[in-house]
Amino acid sequence: HSFPTRRSSDLGGMIPETFTCDGPNHSPPLAWSGVPDSARSLVLICDDPDAPRGTWSHWVAFNLPIQLKGLKEGVPTDEKIPRAVMEGSPPAGEDLEAKQGKNDFGKTGYGGPCPPSGTHRYFFRIYALNSKLKLDSSATRAEVLKGIEGCILAEGRLMGKYERAAK
């Protein structure tokens, strides 16, 4: 099963500098639809399979509410994702458990593309799960991937590329 994801820039296109280490390093605006009715939470992972030392994690977010239709640009790098950056957030009063884990830069939240050389691919994956993850905000991509095994109802994927300009 898959559900479509889209972004404001072209699918598979170049990632604007705004969303990289060469710019303000903001997280990009993301949108999705078609979350299965039986889903209980969403997981978002951004990684770079072209990194020299193996797949590099740029963003890990989990326990996103199923009512969410996307995230606005510039999600703060806090452990909890605030309602203000959510598109289609759950009703007020409902406790939000949306968390950001650790990326491979060793920081919480989004860390944009910063390839050492060449053009790298960056995959943004969204997973609809039949449960919520019992992990804290120190969770890494590997821990989240282990936690979602056997729980994935649907997934969507978006790929963008980035190459740093010669300095």
Side-chain angles (χ1 to χ4, degrees):
H1 300 290
S2 67
F3 55 106
T5 60
R6 61 181 166 76
R7 212 172 80 85
S8 56
S9 68
D10 294 335
L11 209 59
M14 295 302 284
I15 295 172
E17 196 173 274
T18 299
F19 309 123
T20 74
C21 70
D22 295 320
N25 214 7
H26 292 167
S27 64
L30 297 169
W32 53 83
S33 62
V35 174
D37 292 339
S38 57
R40 295 290 161 253
S41 72
L42 302 172
V43 166
L44 173 66
I45 293 176
C46 173
D47 56 31
D48 168 9
D50 303 320
R53 290 180 274 161
T55 300
W56 187 266
S57 149
H58 286 264
W59 199 7
V60 178
F62 55 97
N63 291 343
L64 299 171
I66 58 167
Q67 298 90 343
L68 217 60
K69 302 295 181 221
L71 292 170
K72 296 176 184 173
E73 178 179 328
V75 173
T77 55
D78 301 330
E79 290 183 358
K80 286 194 167 193
I81 298 174
R83 278 182 194 272
V85 297
M86 294 182 179
E87 298 281 4
S89 62
E94 189 171 316
D95 184 40
L96 288 182
E97 300 173 50
K99 296 178 185 173
Q100 297 186 96
K102 292 269 188 251
N103 59 40
D104 283 341
F105 297 107
K107 297 181 176 167
T108 300
Y110 178 80
C114 200
S117 64
T119 302
H120 286 220
R121 297 169 298 150
Y122 299 87
F123 289 91
F124 291 83
R125 293 179 176 88
I126 186 98
Y127 299 94
L129 307 181
N130 63 7
S131 63
K132 289 186 177 177
L133 297 177
K134 292 174 177 55
L135 297 171
D136 64 28
S137 292
S138 65
T140 63
R141 174 181 163 273
E143 291 166 331
V144 169
L145 287 174
K146 187 175 189 330
I148 68 176
E149 286 176 8
C151 299
I152 301 170
L153 299 172
E155 64 182 274
R157 179 174 87 166
L158 172 71
M159 189 267 294
K161 299 175 191 156
Y162 187 67
E163 180 176 15
R164 299 181 79 187
K167 298 279 183 207

